Amino acid sequence: MSAAQLAVDPVTAARRLLGATLYGRDVVATVVEVEAYGGPPSGPWPDAAAHSFRGPTPRSAVMFGPAGHLYTYRSHGIHVCANVVCGADGVAGAVLLRAARVIDGCGAAQGRRRAGVAPAAIARGPGNLCEALGITLADNGIDLMDRRSPVRLELNALQEGAAGPRVGVSQAADRPWRFWLADTAEVSAYRRSPRAAAPGDSD
DNA sequence: GGTAAGATCAGC
DNA sequence: CTGATCTTACCT
């Protein structure tokens, strides 16, 4: 039923995901930082920074499907990143999970990261988040709202969030589509992509 | 079939 | 700032 709450535009979905409870493999965490991504030029939310911008491909297919499913991809040949698909079925949109606070299963999470990471940094950053929660490329496409899924999501009450530009994108780099819970130690540091156009240039 | 760029991260 | 490491998508 709560998948319907995600069948909306990426910005609204992103705000609704702040404070959500994410159940990974033997780890439970609270989502504290997200980024909204739109879709192709023909859709309602054109976004040149989105993987779905050039239409459906084998990789981006999941984002054109129903809301509440998981889209995972490999970043820079090294890391796995996780998105929650949003928007109506057939319309591409997604929210990247950037950081979370581990509230249960700290040991399991820490065991997957290299030794010595600070508690606040265990699931900080999209690649680290997936590593800590045990999310892999094999999880691509699963239904996060299905009780039987190995990775699940539960939405909570709407929380106030701060907004700012997205991290690491070279396109639409000024669009304030990154949202986070204020005063949260687990939020990742902002880094503009070295390939982004000069600040102030239009999308 | 070749290749350039990439929604990252850690170490110097 | 740089290197690691590899998949995708677009080009010829």
Side-chain angles (χ1 to χ4, degrees):
Chain A
M1 197 53 85
S2 62
Q5 294 187 256
L6 296 173
V8 295
D9 70 273
V11 169
T12 301
R15 290 194 176 282
R16 287 180 180 170
L17 282 166
L18 283 181
T21 307
L22 183 62
Y23 296 82
R25 293 190 163 84
D26 306 311
V27 180
V28 183
T30 301
V31 176
V32 300
E33 183 190 359
V34 298
E35 272 175 7
Y37 284 89
S42 58
W45 319 294
D47 181 6
H51 288 165
S52 54
F53 185 63
R54 289 152 206 277
T57 66
R59 177 174 70 158
S60 68
V62 173
M63 286 191 285
F64 289 83
H69 284 241
L70 181 69
Y71 163 57
T72 55
Y73 68 94
R74 187 172 296 291
S75 174
H76 290 258
I78 302 174
H79 300 103
V80 175
C81 296
N83 298 249
V84 179
V85 175
C86 63
D89 193 3
V91 178
V95 178
L96 173 68
L97 302 178
R98 285 201 58 90
R101 172 169 46 241
V102 176
I103 55 177
D104 199 15
C106 253
Q110 204 142 30
R112 294 194 189 100
R113 302 291 317 282
R114 75 187 196 298
V117 275
I122 291 178
R124 174 195 288 156
N128 294 335
L129 185 152
C130 285
E131 192 173 4
L133 299 211
I135 299 172
T136 72
L137 290 182
D139 295 319
N140 188 44
I142 65 172
D143 185 355
L144 293 168
M145 302 302 168
D146 188 330
R147 285 210 165 281
R148 296 163 298 183
S149 293
V151 182
R152 277 182 300 120
L153 194 63
E154 277 178 15
L155 297 181
N156 293 316
L158 197 60
Q159 294 193 47
E160 185 87 6
R166 293 178 291 188
V167 175
V169 298
S170 61
Q171 300 295 311
D174 295 333
R175 195 179 292 191
W177 276 15
R178 170 177 174 245
F179 305 92
W180 63 92
L181 296 179
D183 306 318
T184 305
E186 289 81 4
V187 170
S188 55
Y190 173 61
R191 286 153 98 146
R192 188 180 181 87
S193 167
R195 289 172 291 278
D201 283 19
S202 67
D203 294 347

